[in-house]
Amino acid sequence: MYPVAGAIDGTYVPISGPSAFRESYICRKGFQAMHLQAVCGPDLKFLDVFCGYPGSVHDARVYRNSPLFQEDQVLPPKFHILSDSAYPMSINLMTPYGDNDHLTLEEKKYNSAHSSTRVDIERAFGLLKGKFRKLKFLDMRNVEDIPCTIVTCCALHNFILMNESLDESEVVLEDVDVDERIQSENVQCENEARVVITGQEKRRSIMHLLM
């Protein structure tokens, strides 16, 4: 009734970094990085990738400034993408319930189902960096060339999966930054607030269907 279109997340690609504006590339984990946003399906192929923002930029801001944000606005209401709580809730972007130690059994069950499906994007990132080990540290001085290199690796990742069977031994989950999972930006404008309420209602409907 509510098909999942994919799972979204951001990951950091460590870089040697430019000498100018060095601070803007330092991510939450303390190193210089380029931000990669991606959506994948259950087969771990990337459905959408967006790269170019420095590591200091929050996942939610990268999402709002990506072409995907505009595309999500015209996605049929029954479809949605799964994200962690760093992203803004909407009718087409489902986040988990915040774990405040007061979740109901229904909410915990929803979070468990949400997490077990959304983990595909973490598996996809792990596989990507396992196949293309240069992404563990890109020593490129020309920052303008870095996004193209990263996106090319994503395209090759898909090509490999289309032509080879998936080797589960190569899938290693990325380390998850707990603070990054729970951080979210405040939704300020009235239109966004109205969309968030609609998203919450849809999430409740999905939660009841799981019972």
Side-chain angles (χ1 to χ4, degrees), residues 75-114:
L75 196 66
K78 69 176 181 177
F79 290 94
H80 58 269
I81 295 172
L82 299 180
S83 72
D84 62 23
S85 56
Y87 289 83
M89 164 75 81
S90 76
I91 194 168
N92 295 128
L93 194 67
M94 291 288 103
T95 63
Y97 285 98
D99 191 355
N100 56 6
D101 294 328
H102 298 290
L103 295 181
T104 66
L105 290 177
E106 289 179 322
E107 291 169 340
K108 289 179 179 179
K109 185 170 183 178
Y110 170 87
N111 278 3
S112 177
H114 184 285

Side-chain angles (χ1 to χ4, degrees), residues 158-173:
N158 280 4
F159 179 80
I160 291 170
L161 288 178
M162 288 171 62
N163 291 276
E164 296 180 6
S165 57
L166 177 63
D167 184 352
E168 289 288 346
S169 66
E170 296 181 345
V171 179
V172 179
L173 290 182

Side-chain angles (χ1 to χ4, degrees), residues 14-154:
I15 61 174
S16 52
S19 55
F21 307 108
R22 185 179 181 87
E23 293 293 324
S24 66
Y25 286 88
I26 297 179
C27 68
R28 291 174 54 80
K29 296 183 179 181
F31 54 82
Q32 290 190 94
M34 187 69 73
H35 190 285
L36 168 64
Q37 172 185 282
V39 178
C40 81
D43 57 2
L44 306 191
K45 295 189 187 78
F46 293 120
L47 305 174
D48 183 271
V49 294
F50 179 68
C51 185
Y53 274 84
S56 65
V57 182
H58 187 266
D59 283 354
R61 182 163 297 171
V62 173
Y63 169 67
R64 286 194 178 105
N65 286 281
S66 70
L68 180 65
F69 178 74
Q70 298 302 324
E71 294 170 9
D72 280 353
Q73 309 312 304
V74 297
L75 196 66
K78 69 176 181 177
F79 290 94
H80 58 269
I81 295 172
L82 299 180
S83 72
D84 62 23
S85 56
Y87 289 83
M89 164 75 81
S90 76
I91 194 168
N92 295 128
L93 194 67
M94 291 288 103
T95 63
Y97 285 98
D99 191 355
N100 56 6
D101 294 328
H102 298 290
L103 295 181
T104 66
L105 290 177
E106 289 179 322
E107 291 169 340
K108 289 179 179 179
K109 185 170 183 178
Y110 170 87
N111 278 3
S112 177
H114 184 285
S115 176
S116 64
T117 305
R118 197 194 68 81
V119 75
D120 287 340
I121 188 60
E122 294 172 13
R123 296 175 67 228
F125 283 145
L127 183 61
L128 172 72
K129 293 181 179 179
K131 286 285 188 183
F132 302 97
R133 296 187 181 276
K134 282 291 185 181
L135 295 183
K136 293 183 181 294
F137 182 76
L138 271 180
D139 188 11
M140 299 174 64
R141 294 296 174 181
N142 190 348
V143 176
E144 294 180 355
D145 292 338
I146 293 177
C148 183
T149 300
I150 295 172
V151 171
T152 298
C153 289
C154 293

